[in-house]
Amino acid sequence: MPQTINGCGTWYYGKNNLVSYPGVCRVCGRQTTLSSYDTRLFAVVVMIPLVPLRRLRIIEQCTLCTRHGVMPLGDWQRAQHRADESIAAYKAKPRDFQRAFDAMKACVEFRNLQLFLQLAPEVERHLSSDPKALGMLAEAYGLFNRTEDSARLLHAVLGLKDEDQTREALAACLLKLGRPDEAAPYLEHVAAKGIPDRVDALFQLAQAYQVKGEHEKALAAFGQCEAINPAIADDATFMRLKAASTGRLGTRTAVLPGQIMKQARAAAGRRKFMKVAPVVLALAAVAYLALAWIEGKNQRVFLANGLSRPYTVQLNGVSYVLQPTSTMKVRLPEGDVSVAIVGAPPQVPAETLSIRTPFLSRPLSNRALVINPDRTAIFRRTRASYSADHGDSSQDQAQSTFSGGEALQQFDGLDYVFEDFPRSISMSSGTRAVTKDGLFLMDKAQPLAAASMLMAVADQLGEGAFTRIVQRHALLEPEAAEFIMLLHRAMKPREMADFLRPDLGRRPIRMHWHRAYQSAMSESGLDEQAVREYGAMLKGEPQSKDLVYLAGRAMLDIDQSLELYHKAVEGDAPCAYAFYSLSGYHLSNGEFHEAAMNAERALHLLPGDTSVKWQWTRAAVADRQFDKALDAVLGGESAPLPMCMPAYQDEAYIRTLQGRANDASEVVANVRLRFMQSPEMAAVLARQIEAQNQYCAGDVTGFSQTLAKSPVTNDLFKAHLSNGDLTAAEQDMKQGGQEVEAVHHLLLYIAALQHDASEVAERHLKAAIESMTKGSFEERSYAAALSGKGGLPVKNVLRLRELPEQKVVILTALGLRDPGSREACFAMARKLNYDTRFPYLLLKAALDPQAKP
Amino acid sequence: MASSDENRRARLAFLESEARTRPRRHALRLFAIVALGYLYPLFLLAASFGLILLVMAIAPLAWQSMSGEGMIVFGLALFALLLVAAAVLQTFWVRLPVPDGHPLRPDEAGPLRAMIEEERMAAGAPRVHHIHINAELNAAVAQRHRFQFWGPRTNYLIVGVPLLLALTPGQFRAVLAHEFGHLGRRHTSFGAWIYRIQHTWQSLAAPFARARRMRALGMGWFVKMYAPYLHTGTLALRRLHEYDADQRGPKSEGKEGTARALIAISWAGYRMGASFWPAVVRESAADPIPPADILGRITQLFASAPRPEEVRCWRARERAARTPVTSEHPCLADRLEALGCRQVLDYESDDRLTDSLSASLAAEDSAIGLLGDCRPRIWALANATWKATAIGRWRHENAVARGIMERLAIVPDGDPAQSSADREWEQIQYKARYAHPDEAVAILKDFRTRFCDHASSSFTLGRLLLDRDDEAVAVDEFETAMRHDSGYIAPSLYLLLEYYRESGRDQEADAIRVRLEAHERELALARKERLLVKRRDRFVPHGLSAEEAEKVRSIVHRYPQVRAAYLARKQVRLFSDKPSYVLAIRRRGRLMEDRKSSKRLTDCLHSQMEIPCAIAMLNKLPRGVRKRLIEACPAPLFDSAE
């Protein structure tokens, strides 16, 4: 048969000498029109005939299934020629049976109906008394589906020679013509003689009766079949058809045997399916369960290290080395898994995690199990959108969620786990957009410093997780001072003190740890206890300069404190932090040169310490050592965001102090260039620096207008306060969200007094006092002084350690509040009001009301 | 080469002796044979499930390195292996057919059921769930397990109507006792187990042989190989069972009663085989349809007195017989010997035998009455079933006879081209085949006096004489037939082999078997020699008559692709008395020669040729062959003018 694929292949073109007649297709067995014709086979491309191949004769092509016989046209023509010869030979001797047989065979073999129809009447006429010839002719008519002619001839044969075979053939013809009543008499001999190998004829008779709806006669015929050949009862087809008539006995409902058999085959198919399907399903289920079991024994688990140092962790006794801020894929059996960080402090004990996933959904679930032994890793789950309109993906940051702080986390529905989103993916046609979920570990590749990142996502992590992460960082990375500082944010002072206390005995002394502890104790109101504790420690180790310093730091009496500081810096191996604290003391008391000297010494001993560097910068600026201060500041600009932001601000400020306003403006451009990848942050910083430059230049209006565009609440507060818009400034304070510092209240107090808003001033003074009452010893002392309820004498209050920019505000407020101490407070405040940045002009106006702005 | 019958008999004798004298050792031997039969299926199961376990075991290693897609492939592979295991399991499930015969309804044949129940209880045998009736001279028990090899058993008792007609009720009772003796609990459980195992494997052989490829590949080949091996290995024990079952005759009859029953069955079988069935088959010449009431005829046979010489022939045969090497049932003489009743067969006078043999047995005296009211229904069923079974062979015999008559009608005096022997043979062969044996023998002997070298008549006479146990003369006739016509070698040897084997004459049977095997090898070579045209083949003119040549020509003429055809006779080395021809055809050339259509053409031509003929494409033959062939047939048999 010719075939084409996408219109290319071979095909027939042309139909000559077409002969069509109804018949039964020899392939599909259906009644249809059969066509024979001459044609040519072509090689075609897109159904266009290109290359003629050969000429063919198509023989009895079925219109339904298109199957047919085919032979070369030349052979066909030769066959017809030979058929003509045979016919001619027959015509020469028309009563010769053998010649008639040969001639008919020649016509029938190649299905030449025309020739046959020419020949048949002659044979019938000349051999009308030869039953064999007539029988053969009847058979030939039957091949061409001319059943009527076939029946007629068989009648004639019967008249000449009554034989069982002829009767059966005639009965078959009559049954084909749908005349079972006429056929029945010709099959009586089968039942009468009980001929077992002819029982099929009776079976056909029974089916013919069924088609007519004559079920009684059909059942009689079925009964005869069984009587003649009892084994037929074992035939399922027979029994089925018999049952069909039995069920319709008394009705004239036609039964189509073909339909019955089709239904039976379909039912058998369904039964087989119902037998096979459960087995297949069972096997599939077994395979699936086996997979689930295997997966349970080899569960994919990711180990994540959130620290910035490597460490070894043991899982069920097997060691794994985790690199800093990285992940590792391992396979573990589900169940209880013991997790122990090798060399961890006692506050980080080994723990047992339960890794369990639903057994049945295991193979199908997109589940990622992550073990974070240190509990400091922060995970970001991000959804990326892929669109058919654009080439790349777009990661929708708004749909990022953060989590962390747990030893074991389970994430479902992930497409990419700790791997980057591909730049593009393939989608099925018709799909315009696809979203994919990915899980990432936040690491130092991010532009923000670790502590700042933590702060940025603290709200999304939740209080508990944030606290856990900070604590774990502090325990596992005690040298990372920024996390110790975050403890203030994460914990209440007393809790923080309790958390830090167990490690106080660790040697060598972790200075940040102790300093944080002392701050926590002071904020908890446990200063006396702290003094005792450090006194005891010092007693045990009197040679330790660090302890001398720390004991001094804990002291409430300033002179005693200073004495210990000086002791700590004497001789060999002085304590750097003692220099640092001395610098702080001198700076907060307006002794800028001494402050700068001590800060320089501290920096010499701790060149890498950020807080020491910062102290040195401030002291140098206060001491007007601008060049040295600038060097320190420029070094600080290489720190990651947001640690570098104060450095840029300081650079601009120092250049302003040096009288290089243009250079100060250039800092803005540098900021924009440096933080191109974080344009929002760059914009904020640039705005702040610009505003700062304007303020330093005395342009308060410009300062207010510039900062009024800032999204940062603190900037807005400054802008409104500078403008004298106290109400707006109050609003800004409330919108800040976090607890308002006492300094802000005092600034509002000062501004309110300047604007004669005594009620506002009183309110904020009370708020400031309330805030400071909960603070450190120094803050409580200031609060007592502001409230006028006893406390330290003024000269002691003036000597208290505090950041200059805060002390100046406190002393100004104190002076305004207490006329008795005004002169002393204002004198110190004037000294400390050296930084010309906000709120310099506000304070100056308060300190020297007569002075022109 | 198959082991000789003598060797097998010696082996069986050894096994029987071992079974009698060292039963434990024999039981061990059988146990090993049976265990071997289970080893292969267990191996298949173990292999298929072992593969699964192996895949599961390496899963952890594979899991480590595989991606998600790899795991899906792993899962699919696991599923595929499970499917294979399920397919292996499924090969064990073969539906054993229910034993043949028509089942009696529960309310039918009360007397028969009563007798069965009595003998069953006496033997301590399990319950008979179904009784089937067929048209054979036999009774048997069969068991089917619910789940092919295992599970609850369903017991069948199959009884032949001719057996009921041949035996008295007492004798039939003895038969029942014998059958239940096989199943009875008093039988050793091991022996009964072996018996059942062997019959199960035997039953499996046929369904597995018919099974589709998967089952055939999985289990079919093994069953085919193992079942005969088990059959031979357990034959000794099963024969002992037969002896043992014979011992468990009904108490009312005693051993002599059992002996009489055995004799009656053997005698009935002999009568039916020697005279009844041949006479029935001879009727096929005249009647195209088998008789409607064969059971009635059998009844008449048993109701008629036999001829004395028939009794003598039978007795002589049974006295000389030995148990065939393949038969589970010992010969009559051995069984009677085991019962201590051998002398019944040896009596010179027929008086003792006359009681049970020479006398006729009317239907009302036979065991057929046990069927009770269902007898008409069963009678009709059994007759119809026999007729349906016999019709195929009947039609063939009838067609042969009609062919002979038609040829006689066409050429009443024979074909002048034939020899006088053949012409006269054409005249007498109908009678020689289909007349009464006595008349046929006389006709043939007369013919043989004139034409002693005529193969067909020699063969026909030899067959008739062999049926009469006139062995020596029959062998001579067969040898003559084989000498003059190679076509009679195989039929003659098969008849002789069967004859010797049935009577347990191993030495003679071995000799015939060797000859037969050699002949079959030669036949295979001859077939090759005739079907292929080789470089060294030599040809001579075909020598066909004009009519035969015209037949070939007319066949070739119908194929328009054939341009010319040359027919020559090939000189063959093997069986040169049978001509072989080569038809070389020249077909029309085509641009792209299609090997498939050439093969189709040669196959079609080959199927229509009435003469043994190899078909070859003339242009594909070597030049020398082509030249020699055309020399042998200078004028083509067919030459297309187109």
Side-chain angles (χ1 to χ4, degrees), chain A residues 53-54 71-72 74-76 78-79 81-83 85-86 101-102 105-106 109-110 164 193-198 226-231 272 275 279-281 283-288 290-291 293-295 298-300 329-331, chain B residues 55-56 59-61 63-66 71 74-76 78-79 82-83 86 95 102 212 288-290 292 380-382 384-385 387-389 391-392 395 550 554 556-563 587-588 590 592 608 638 640-642:
Chain A
L53 293 176
R54 57 165 90 153
M71 65 190 296
D75 286 349
W76 161 260
R78 268 185 292 282
H81 180 69
R82 291 180 193 181
E85 284 177 0
S86 300
F101 177 81
D102 289 340
K105 197 162 172 116
E109 258 177 350
F110 299 104
D164 288 349
K193 294 180 187 175
I195 309 175
D197 56 345
R198 297 289 186 264
E226 279 184 286
I228 294 168
N229 189 354
K272 192 172 180 183
K275 275 188 204 167
V279 172
V280 171
L281 283 174
L283 290 176
V286 167
Y288 181 81
L291 265 184
W293 181 80
I294 292 169
E295 195 172 332
N298 296 275
Q299 185 60 261
R300 183 187 67 162
K329 189 162 69 177
V330 297
R331 296 273 179 186
Chain B
V55 165
M56 301 270 285
L61 284 173
W63 218 257
Q64 302 285 349
S65 52
M66 276 195 290
M71 285 179 206
F74 180 87
L76 286 173
L78 185 63
F79 177 65
L82 282 167
L83 270 180
R95 196 169 290 279
H102 301 283
R212 288 192 182 165
I289 297 165
L381 274 175
T385 306
K387 202 169 170 184
T389 313
I391 188 73
R395 293 277 192 200
E550 177 55 29
S554 66
V556 175
H557 181 261
R558 290 205 289 270
Y559 290 84
Q561 331 59 327
V562 177
R563 266 181 55 195
R587 65 174 298 179
R588 295 189 189 277
R590 201 161 283 170
M592 283 183 286
Q608 294 189 20
F638 169 77
S640 160
E642 303 117 2

Side-chain angles (χ1 to χ4, degrees), chain B residues 135-170:
Chain B
E136 293 176 25
L137 183 71
N138 194 19
V141 286
Q143 285 185 319
R144 293 288 181 267
H145 291 269
R146 179 100 182 262
F147 304 112
Q148 320 313 324
F149 294 103
W150 55 283
R153 285 190 282 268
T154 303
N155 301 317
Y156 296 84
L157 177 68
I158 303 108
V159 177
V161 173
L163 188 73
L164 291 172
L165 288 167
L167 301 178
T168 61

Side-chain angles (χ1 to χ4, degrees), chain B residues 153-194:
Chain B
R153 285 190 282 268
T154 303
N155 301 317
Y156 296 84
L157 177 68
I158 303 108
V159 177
V161 173
L163 188 73
L164 291 172
L165 288 167
L167 301 178
T168 61
Q171 288 166 346
F172 183 69
R173 186 181 285 274
V175 169
L176 287 177
H178 172 93
E179 294 303 330
F180 285 128
H182 286 304
L183 296 181
R185 289 198 190 95
R186 277 176 282 170
H187 223 156
T188 61
S189 58
F190 177 76
W193 178 63
I194 292 291

Side-chain angles (χ1 to χ4, degrees), chain B residues 354-393:
Chain B
T354 304
D355 291 343
S356 56
L357 300 181
S358 301
S360 58
L361 180 63
E364 51 270 23
D365 297 326
S366 72
I368 197 68
L370 293 171
L371 288 179
D373 291 343
C374 74
R375 181 177 159 181
R377 182 181 87 84
I378 296 298
W379 199 265
L381 274 175
N383 273 328
T385 306
W386 174 83
K387 202 169 170 184
T389 313
I391 188 73
R393 191 186 162 194

Side-chain angles (χ1 to χ4, degrees), chain A residues 388-551:
Chain A
D389 300 325
H390 307 295
D392 299 344
S393 70
S394 62
Q395 296 185 28
D396 193 341
Q397 298 293 344
Q399 292 201 41
S400 289
T401 56
F402 298 88
S403 60
E406 301 291 340
L408 174 65
Q409 282 186 284
Q410 211 164 315
F411 300 92
D412 291 330
L414 292 173
D415 301 296
Y416 301 99
V417 183
F418 301 128
E419 56 179 310
D420 293 333
F421 285 115
R423 288 190 64 80
S424 62
I425 59 168
S426 54
M427 290 189 277
S428 56
S429 58
T431 306
R432 303 306 303 166
V434 158
T435 56
K436 297 282 182 187
D437 284 2
L439 184 70
F440 305 92
L441 176 65
M442 293 192 71
D443 58 12
K444 59 189 175 200
Q446 305 290 328
L448 294 177
S452 304
M453 270 195 304
L454 188 53
M455 285 294 300
V457 300
D459 291 337
Q460 292 197 52
L461 289 173
E463 272 303 319
F466 176 73
T467 305
R468 278 195 298 276
I469 292 171
V470 171
Q471 283 177 344
R472 280 298 178 103
H473 268 294
L475 288 169
L476 293 169
E477 290 180 304
E479 62 284 353
E482 63 267 27
F483 290 105
I484 302 199
M485 290 196 310
L486 275 184
L487 284 172
H488 287 279
R489 173 81 195 278
M491 303 172 81
K492 293 191 169 61
R494 195 169 284 239
E495 285 171 1
M496 185 175 160
D498 292 336
F499 173 76
L500 294 169
R501 189 174 298 117
D503 258 14
L504 294 177
R506 188 186 284 270
R507 297 294 178 267
I509 286 177
R510 292 179 187 160
M511 197 56 74
H512 297 296
W513 199 273
H514 284 265
R515 285 160 54 83
Y517 175 71
Q518 288 177 344
S519 300
M521 289 294 277
S522 180
E523 285 172 25
S524 306
L526 299 172
D527 311 89
E528 304 281 346
Q529 183 179 331
V531 171
R532 284 195 296 275
E533 283 172 2
Y534 278 91
M537 274 191 255
L538 185 58
K539 230 186 212 174
E541 296 172 67
Q543 303 306 314
S544 169
K545 296 279 174 72
D546 289 343
L547 273 176
V548 171
Y549 158 70
L550 288 168

